[in-house]
Amino acid sequence: MRLVGKACVTVCLVLAAAVGCTDGDGDPARTDPPTPTRTASPAPSAPTSKPPDSVSIPGLIAREHRGSGLRLGTVRLRTDAYTQYAITYEANGLTISGLMNVPEDRGPFPALVLAHGYIHPDVYTTGRGLAREQDLLARNGYVVLHTDYRNHAGSDDDPDNDVNLRLGYTEDVIAAVQALRSSGLPQIDNDRIGLLGRSMGGGVVYNTLVVVAPGLVDAAVVYAPVSSRPAENLDHFQRRNGDPVVAEIEAEHGSPRENPAFWKEISPVTYVDRVTEPLLIHHGTADDTCPPRWSEQTAAAFEAAGKDVRLVKYPGEGHTFSSQWRDSMDTTMDHFERHLR
Protein backbone atom coordinates (compact mmCIF):
# COMPACT_ATOMS: atom_id res chain seq x y z
CA MET A 1 0.00 0.00 0.00
CA ARG A 2 1.25 3.48 -0.74
CA LEU A 3 2.04 5.81 2.13
CA VAL A 4 -1.26 7.49 3.05
CA GLY A 5 -1.92 10.58 5.06
CA LYS A 6 -1.56 14.26 5.10
CA ALA A 7 1.25 16.13 3.52
CA CYS A 8 2.31 19.10 5.59
CA VAL A 9 5.20 20.38 3.46
CA THR A 10 5.42 24.16 3.66
CA VAL A 11 6.59 25.86 0.52
CA CYS A 12 8.20 29.17 1.44
CA LEU A 13 10.45 31.95 0.23
CA VAL A 14 14.03 31.89 1.49
CA LEU A 15 15.21 35.37 2.47
CA ALA A 16 18.89 36.16 2.02
CA ALA A 17 20.61 37.36 5.20
CA ALA A 18 22.32 40.75 4.92
CA VAL A 19 26.13 40.66 5.09
CA GLY A 20 27.72 43.17 7.51
CA CYS A 21 30.78 45.28 6.58
CA THR A 22 33.40 47.24 8.49
CA ASP A 23 33.37 51.02 8.73
CA GLY A 24 37.16 51.47 8.18
CA ASP A 25 38.95 52.10 4.93
CA GLY A 26 41.68 49.53 5.63
CA ASP A 27 44.57 52.05 5.33
CA PRO A 28 47.57 50.48 7.21
CA ALA A 29 49.24 53.93 7.66
CA ARG A 30 46.35 55.27 9.66
CA THR A 31 47.48 56.66 13.09
CA ASP A 32 44.11 57.51 14.68
CA PRO A 33 43.70 56.16 18.22
CA PRO A 34 41.88 52.90 18.47
CA THR A 35 38.14 53.03 18.77
CA PRO A 36 36.97 52.16 22.29
CA THR A 37 35.56 48.69 22.67
CA ARG A 38 31.77 48.64 22.44
CA THR A 39 29.36 46.06 23.71
CA ALA A 40 28.24 43.86 20.84
CA SER A 41 24.64 44.26 19.74
CA PRO A 42 22.42 41.19 19.98
CA ALA A 43 22.56 39.03 16.87
CA PRO A 44 19.59 39.65 14.59
CA SER A 45 16.94 36.96 14.74
CA ALA A 46 16.73 34.54 11.85
CA PRO A 47 14.31 35.56 9.12
CA THR A 48 10.91 33.96 9.47
CA SER A 49 9.40 31.86 6.70
CA LYS A 50 6.51 33.35 4.82
CA PRO A 51 3.51 31.01 4.95
CA PRO A 52 2.08 29.99 1.58
CA ASP A 53 -1.05 31.63 0.23
CA SER A 54 -3.98 29.51 1.40
CA VAL A 55 -5.40 29.81 -2.13
CA SER A 56 -2.58 27.98 -3.90
CA ILE A 57 -1.21 24.51 -4.43
CA PRO A 58 1.44 25.14 -1.74
CA GLY A 59 -1.38 26.23 0.57
CA LEU A 60 -3.22 22.97 -0.08
CA ILE A 61 0.00 21.03 0.45
CA ALA A 62 0.53 22.68 3.82
CA ARG A 63 -3.03 22.13 4.98
CA GLU A 64 -4.02 19.21 7.18
CA HIS A 65 -6.72 17.41 5.21
CA ARG A 66 -9.41 15.57 7.11
CA GLY A 67 -11.87 13.18 5.49
CA SER A 68 -14.03 10.91 7.60
CA GLY A 69 -17.54 9.87 8.58
CA LEU A 70 -18.59 8.01 5.43
CA ARG A 71 -22.24 7.12 5.92
CA LEU A 72 -24.42 4.95 3.73
CA GLY A 73 -27.90 6.42 3.43
CA THR A 74 -30.95 5.32 1.53
CA VAL A 75 -30.79 2.76 -1.26
CA ARG A 76 -31.27 4.58 -4.56
CA LEU A 77 -31.03 1.62 -6.90
CA ARG A 78 -30.63 -2.16 -6.87
CA THR A 79 -29.34 -3.99 -9.92
CA ASP A 80 -28.23 -7.53 -10.56
CA ALA A 81 -24.61 -6.40 -10.08
CA TYR A 82 -24.55 -3.67 -7.42
CA THR A 83 -26.53 -1.60 -4.94
CA GLN A 84 -26.41 2.17 -5.11
CA TYR A 85 -26.54 4.21 -1.90
CA ALA A 86 -26.86 7.89 -1.16
CA ILE A 87 -23.85 8.81 0.96
CA THR A 88 -22.34 11.66 2.95
CA TYR A 89 -18.87 12.22 4.35
CA GLU A 90 -16.93 14.98 6.09
CA ALA A 91 -14.34 17.10 4.27
CA ASN A 92 -12.41 19.59 6.39
CA GLY A 93 -15.49 20.46 8.41
CA LEU A 94 -18.04 20.38 5.57
CA THR A 95 -20.57 17.63 4.91
CA ILE A 96 -20.36 16.44 1.30
CA SER A 97 -23.04 14.37 -0.40
CA GLY A 98 -22.70 11.85 -3.18
CA LEU A 99 -23.53 8.29 -4.11
CA MET A 100 -21.75 4.98 -3.94
CA ASN A 101 -22.18 1.79 -5.96
CA VAL A 102 -21.26 -1.36 -4.06
CA PRO A 103 -20.89 -4.63 -6.05
CA GLU A 104 -23.01 -7.58 -4.95
CA ASP A 105 -20.22 -10.15 -5.09
CA ARG A 106 -18.09 -10.92 -2.08
CA GLY A 107 -15.47 -8.25 -1.41
CA PRO A 108 -13.36 -6.50 -0.48
CA PHE A 109 -13.25 -4.56 -3.74
CA PRO A 110 -10.89 -1.90 -5.04
CA ALA A 111 -12.50 1.54 -4.84
CA LEU A 112 -12.61 4.52 -7.17
CA VAL A 113 -13.45 8.16 -6.43
CA LEU A 114 -15.11 9.90 -9.38
CA ALA A 115 -14.79 13.65 -9.94
CA HIS A 116 -17.41 15.02 -12.33
CA GLY A 117 -17.10 17.89 -14.78
CA TYR A 118 -18.64 21.32 -14.49
CA ILE A 119 -22.41 21.35 -14.07
CA HIS A 120 -23.94 24.51 -12.66
CA PRO A 121 -24.86 23.88 -9.01
CA ASP A 122 -28.37 25.25 -9.61
CA VAL A 123 -29.20 22.35 -11.95
CA TYR A 124 -26.91 19.66 -10.57
CA THR A 125 -28.44 16.59 -8.93
CA THR A 126 -26.67 13.89 -6.91
CA GLY A 127 -24.45 11.64 -8.98
CA ARG A 128 -24.98 13.56 -12.21
CA GLY A 129 -22.22 13.68 -14.79
CA LEU A 130 -20.61 10.23 -14.81
CA ALA A 131 -23.57 7.85 -14.82
CA ARG A 132 -22.15 5.57 -17.54
CA GLU A 133 -18.86 5.21 -15.74
CA GLN A 134 -20.51 4.59 -12.36
CA ASP A 135 -22.53 1.71 -13.76
CA LEU A 136 -19.83 0.03 -15.82
CA LEU A 137 -17.13 0.24 -13.18
CA ALA A 138 -19.40 -1.20 -10.47
CA ARG A 139 -20.36 -4.06 -12.80
CA ASN A 140 -16.68 -4.81 -13.17
CA GLY A 141 -16.00 -5.14 -9.47
CA TYR A 142 -15.22 -1.63 -8.21
CA VAL A 143 -16.79 0.24 -5.33
CA VAL A 144 -17.54 3.61 -6.94
CA LEU A 145 -17.87 6.78 -4.85
CA HIS A 146 -19.12 9.74 -6.86
CA THR A 147 -18.65 12.99 -4.95
CA ASP A 148 -21.08 15.86 -5.46
CA TYR A 149 -18.52 18.51 -4.32
CA ARG A 150 -19.35 21.37 -1.98
CA ASN A 151 -22.16 23.71 -3.09
CA HIS A 152 -23.77 20.84 -5.04
CA ALA A 153 -26.86 18.74 -4.27
CA GLY A 154 -26.97 17.99 -0.54
CA SER A 155 -23.45 19.22 0.25
CA ASP A 156 -22.67 22.13 2.53
CA ASP A 157 -22.04 25.55 1.03
CA ASP A 158 -18.68 27.27 0.66
CA PRO A 159 -19.42 30.85 -0.44
CA ASP A 160 -15.79 31.62 -1.36
CA ASN A 161 -15.23 28.56 -3.54
CA ASP A 162 -15.66 30.20 -6.96
CA VAL A 163 -13.50 33.22 -6.12
CA ASN A 164 -10.87 30.84 -4.80
CA LEU A 165 -10.60 28.99 -8.12
CA ARG A 166 -12.74 26.05 -6.85
CA LEU A 167 -9.86 24.57 -4.91
CA GLY A 168 -12.45 23.31 -2.47
CA TYR A 169 -13.35 20.57 -4.95
CA THR A 170 -9.83 19.20 -4.57
CA GLU A 171 -10.27 19.12 -0.80
CA ASP A 172 -13.52 17.20 -1.30
CA VAL A 173 -11.84 14.55 -3.45
CA ILE A 174 -8.92 14.12 -1.05
CA ALA A 175 -11.41 13.77 1.81
CA ALA A 176 -13.46 11.21 -0.16
CA VAL A 177 -10.40 8.94 -0.39
CA GLN A 178 -9.65 9.42 3.29
CA ALA A 179 -13.28 8.72 4.20
CA LEU A 180 -13.23 5.49 2.20
CA ARG A 181 -10.07 4.35 3.95
CA SER A 182 -11.35 5.14 7.43
CA SER A 183 -14.90 3.84 6.91
CA GLY A 184 -14.31 0.33 8.18
CA LEU A 185 -16.69 -1.01 5.53
CA PRO A 186 -15.74 -4.62 4.72
CA GLN A 187 -16.59 -4.14 1.04
CA ILE A 188 -13.70 -1.68 0.58
CA ASP A 189 -10.09 -2.70 0.08
CA ASN A 190 -8.13 0.15 1.66
CA ASP A 191 -4.98 -0.82 -0.23
CA ARG A 192 -6.50 -0.30 -3.68
CA ILE A 193 -8.01 3.11 -4.41
CA GLY A 194 -7.93 5.14 -7.64
CA LEU A 195 -9.24 8.38 -9.11
CA LEU A 196 -11.20 9.14 -12.28
CA GLY A 197 -12.12 12.66 -13.40
CA ARG A 198 -13.78 14.14 -16.43
CA SER A 199 -13.32 17.65 -17.87
CA MET A 200 -13.18 20.02 -14.85
CA GLY A 201 -12.89 16.88 -12.74
CA GLY A 202 -9.69 16.11 -14.61
CA GLY A 203 -8.25 19.34 -13.26
CA VAL A 204 -9.38 18.30 -9.78
CA VAL A 205 -7.51 15.02 -10.24
CA TYR A 206 -4.36 16.88 -11.32
CA ASN A 207 -4.55 19.00 -8.17
CA THR A 208 -5.09 15.94 -5.98
CA LEU A 209 -2.07 14.14 -7.44
CA VAL A 210 0.30 17.01 -6.63
CA VAL A 211 -1.12 17.95 -3.23
CA VAL A 212 -0.77 14.68 -1.30
CA ALA A 213 2.60 13.00 -1.76
CA PRO A 214 4.08 10.39 -1.89
CA GLY A 215 0.69 9.08 -2.92
CA LEU A 216 -2.90 9.29 -1.75
CA VAL A 217 -4.10 6.76 -4.33
CA ASP A 218 -2.60 4.08 -6.54
CA ALA A 219 -3.58 5.22 -10.05
CA ALA A 220 -5.55 7.93 -11.85
CA VAL A 221 -7.44 8.42 -15.11
CA VAL A 222 -8.74 11.64 -16.67
CA TYR A 223 -11.07 12.18 -19.62
CA ALA A 224 -11.02 15.30 -21.79
CA PRO A 225 -9.45 17.31 -18.96
CA VAL A 226 -9.22 21.05 -18.62
CA SER A 227 -5.85 22.76 -18.74
CA SER A 228 -3.38 22.16 -15.93
CA ARG A 229 -2.86 25.95 -16.00
CA PRO A 230 -5.93 27.66 -14.47
CA ALA A 231 -5.18 30.96 -16.21
CA GLU A 232 -5.96 29.22 -19.51
CA ASN A 233 -9.21 27.86 -18.11
CA LEU A 234 -10.20 31.30 -16.85
CA ASP A 235 -9.68 32.84 -20.29
CA HIS A 236 -11.21 29.96 -22.24
CA PHE A 237 -14.34 29.29 -20.21
CA GLN A 238 -15.13 32.34 -18.11
CA ARG A 239 -13.59 35.50 -19.50
CA ARG A 240 -14.76 34.98 -23.08
CA ASN A 241 -18.28 34.21 -21.85
CA GLY A 242 -18.48 37.33 -19.71
CA ASP A 243 -18.63 35.52 -16.37
CA PRO A 244 -18.80 38.22 -13.65
CA VAL A 245 -16.84 35.96 -11.30
CA VAL A 246 -13.70 36.80 -13.32
CA ALA A 247 -13.75 40.36 -11.97
CA GLU A 248 -14.12 39.02 -8.42
CA ILE A 249 -11.26 36.57 -8.89
CA GLU A 250 -8.94 39.22 -10.26
CA ALA A 251 -9.94 41.76 -7.61
CA GLU A 252 -8.97 39.20 -4.97
CA HIS A 253 -5.92 37.59 -6.57
CA GLY A 254 -4.87 39.79 -9.46
CA SER A 255 -4.95 38.96 -13.15
CA PRO A 256 -2.43 36.57 -14.71
CA ARG A 257 -0.57 39.61 -16.05
CA GLU A 258 -0.66 41.55 -12.77
CA ASN A 259 0.18 38.67 -10.45
CA PRO A 260 1.92 35.87 -12.39
CA ALA A 261 3.32 34.40 -9.17
CA PHE A 262 -0.19 33.62 -7.90
CA TRP A 263 -1.22 31.97 -11.16
CA LYS A 264 1.93 29.89 -11.21
CA GLU A 265 1.28 28.69 -7.65
CA ILE A 266 -2.33 27.79 -8.45
CA SER A 267 -1.24 25.57 -11.35
CA PRO A 268 -0.79 21.84 -10.66
CA VAL A 269 1.66 21.53 -13.56
CA THR A 270 4.09 23.70 -11.58
CA TYR A 271 4.37 20.90 -9.02
CA VAL A 272 4.28 17.86 -11.30
CA ASP A 273 7.53 16.61 -9.75
CA ARG A 274 5.48 15.59 -6.67
CA VAL A 275 3.32 13.07 -8.55
CA THR A 276 3.89 9.38 -7.79
CA GLU A 277 0.80 7.73 -9.33
CA PRO A 278 0.56 6.41 -12.91
CA LEU A 279 -1.74 8.65 -14.95
CA LEU A 280 -3.80 7.81 -18.03
CA ILE A 281 -5.19 10.71 -20.09
CA HIS A 282 -7.97 10.24 -22.69
CA HIS A 283 -8.67 13.02 -25.20
CA GLY A 284 -10.65 13.20 -28.44
CA THR A 285 -9.07 15.02 -31.34
CA ALA A 286 -12.37 16.76 -32.15
CA ASP A 287 -12.94 18.08 -28.62
CA ASP A 288 -14.11 21.68 -29.03
CA THR A 289 -14.66 22.21 -25.30
CA CYS A 290 -11.22 21.34 -23.93
CA PRO A 291 -8.59 21.65 -26.68
CA PRO A 292 -6.51 18.48 -27.12
CA ARG A 293 -3.33 20.55 -26.93
CA TRP A 294 -3.98 21.01 -23.21
CA SER A 295 -3.57 17.30 -22.62
CA GLU A 296 -0.56 17.18 -24.94
CA GLN A 297 1.13 19.93 -22.93
CA THR A 298 0.29 18.30 -19.59
CA ALA A 299 1.51 14.89 -20.73
CA ALA A 300 4.73 16.48 -21.97
CA ALA A 301 5.26 18.09 -18.56
CA PHE A 302 4.74 14.74 -16.82
CA GLU A 303 7.15 13.04 -19.21
CA ALA A 304 9.78 15.75 -18.74
CA ALA A 305 9.54 15.17 -14.98
CA GLY A 306 10.05 11.43 -15.49
CA LYS A 307 6.51 10.48 -14.46
CA ASP A 308 4.40 7.51 -15.54
CA VAL A 309 1.91 9.07 -17.96
CA ARG A 310 0.11 7.84 -21.06
CA LEU A 311 -1.94 10.02 -23.40
CA VAL A 312 -4.43 8.21 -25.65
CA LYS A 313 -5.99 10.21 -28.48
CA TYR A 314 -9.27 9.26 -30.16
CA PRO A 315 -9.59 10.45 -33.77
CA GLY A 316 -12.80 12.38 -34.38
CA GLU A 317 -14.06 11.94 -30.81
CA GLY A 318 -15.66 14.93 -29.10
CA HIS A 319 -15.70 16.11 -25.52
CA THR A 320 -18.25 13.66 -24.13
CA PHE A 321 -17.07 10.57 -26.05
CA SER A 322 -19.62 8.50 -27.96
CA SER A 323 -18.66 5.74 -30.40
CA GLN A 324 -15.27 5.13 -28.78
CA TRP A 325 -16.38 5.47 -25.17
CA ARG A 326 -16.47 1.74 -24.50
CA ASP A 327 -13.02 1.27 -26.01
CA SER A 328 -11.75 4.05 -23.79
CA MET A 329 -13.31 2.42 -20.74
CA ASP A 330 -11.69 -0.90 -21.57
CA THR A 331 -8.36 0.95 -21.62
CA THR A 332 -9.28 2.60 -18.32
CA MET A 333 -10.09 -0.71 -16.66
CA ASP A 334 -6.87 -2.24 -18.00
CA HIS A 335 -5.02 0.67 -16.36
CA PHE A 336 -6.73 0.13 -13.03
CA GLU A 337 -6.34 -3.64 -13.34
CA ARG A 338 -2.56 -3.26 -13.59
CA HIS A 339 -2.19 -0.80 -10.74
CA LEU A 340 -5.02 -1.60 -8.31
CA ARG A 341 -5.50 -5.36 -8.53
Side-chain angles (χ1 to χ4, degrees):
M1 183 178 79
R2 293 181 182 272
L3 181 61
V4 179
K6 55 184 178 291
C8 298
V9 181
T10 306
V11 178
C12 59
L13 301 177
V14 179
L15 304 178
V19 178
C21 57
T22 63
D23 58 0
D25 62 8
D27 184 356
R30 183 171 176 171
T31 59
D32 294 340
T35 303
T37 302
R38 294 178 296 179
T39 302
S41 301
S45 58
T48 57
S49 298
K50 179 182 177 182
D53 187 337
S54 61
V55 184
S56 69
I57 298 299
L60 282 181
I61 292 169
R63 181 166 188 173
E64 180 180 357
H65 296 279
R66 301 183 304 277
S68 61
L70 178 63
R71 295 179 177 85
L72 300 184
T74 58
V75 173
R76 291 169 46 100
L77 176 68
R78 290 190 189 276
T79 75
D80 60 328
Y82 62 87
T83 300
Q84 183 181 92
Y85 299 89
I87 60 101
T88 58
Y89 64 95
E90 302 304 308
N92 294 342
L94 297 181
T95 298
I96 306 300
S97 64
L99 57 77
M100 192 162 78
N101 293 348
V102 180
E104 295 295 335
D105 292 338
R106 184 177 179 180
F109 305 100
L112 301 173
V113 173
L114 271 55
H116 64 81
Y118 180 77
I119 301 171
H120 197 287
D122 288 349
V123 300
Y124 179 87
T125 54
T126 293
R128 184 172 174 181
L130 287 164
R132 296 178 300 179
E133 290 80 359
Q134 294 163 24
D135 177 78
L136 182 62
L137 291 168
R139 290 182 181 278
N140 280 271
Y142 293 91
V143 170
V144 179
L145 189 158
H146 183 286
T147 178
D148 288 335
Y149 304 139
R150 60 193 62 194
N151 300 340
H152 290 69
S155 299
D156 284 347
D157 289 337
D158 176 359
D160 298 324
N161 190 59
D162 283 350
V163 173
N164 291 338
L165 282 298
R166 301 174 183 154
L167 283 188
Y169 299 163
T170 300
E171 296 182 60
D172 299 339
V173 167
I174 293 171
V177 176
Q178 294 174 328
L180 279 170
R181 281 212 164 95
S182 64
S183 69
L185 293 173
Q187 300 96 327
I188 298 169
D189 186 335
N190 293 341
D191 290 338
R192 299 183 293 166
I193 300 181
L195 296 178
L196 186 149
R198 173 177 286 283
S199 194
M200 180 192 72
V204 173
V205 169
Y206 290 157
N207 286 349
T208 302
L209 295 182
V210 303
V211 166
V212 184
L216 178 71
V217 296
D218 299 293
V221 175
V222 293
Y223 275 82
V226 295
S227 175
S228 53
R229 295 175 174 83
E232 290 185 321
N233 296 322
L234 187 82
D235 287 341
H236 185 78
F237 294 111
Q238 294 177 268
R239 193 187 306 279
R240 74 176 185 176
N241 291 321
D243 187 343
V245 175
V246 173
E248 297 180 52
I249 290 171
E250 295 185 341
E252 182 70 22
H253 306 294
S255 69
R257 177 175 296 179
E258 296 165 342
N259 191 4
F262 168 81
W263 291 92
K264 182 178 181 180
E265 289 192 346
I266 205 75
S267 301
V269 73
T270 303
Y271 306 95
V272 72
D273 61 300
R274 292 175 53 83
V275 175
T276 58
E277 301 84 354
L279 173 66
L280 172 63
I281 305 173
H282 299 285
H283 218 123
T285 62
D287 189 336
D288 57 3
T289 300
C290 292
R293 61 181 169 80
W294 287 350
S295 286
E296 294 167 355
Q297 292 165 354
T298 298
F302 271 71
E303 289 174 349
K307 304 306 176 179
D308 185 348
V309 63
R310 179 187 178 196
L311 170 60
V312 182
K313 300 178 185 178
Y314 297 84
E317 195 65 74
H319 186 62
T320 58
F321 279 65
S322 54
S323 62
Q324 298 174 80
W325 174 78
R326 184 54 199 254
D327 289 342
S328 74
M329 287 300 296
D330 287 342
T331 303
T332 288
M333 288 186 286
D334 286 345
H335 180 75
F336 286 136
E337 181 74 24
R338 287 196 305 275
H339 299 292
L340 270 66
R341 295 289 186 173

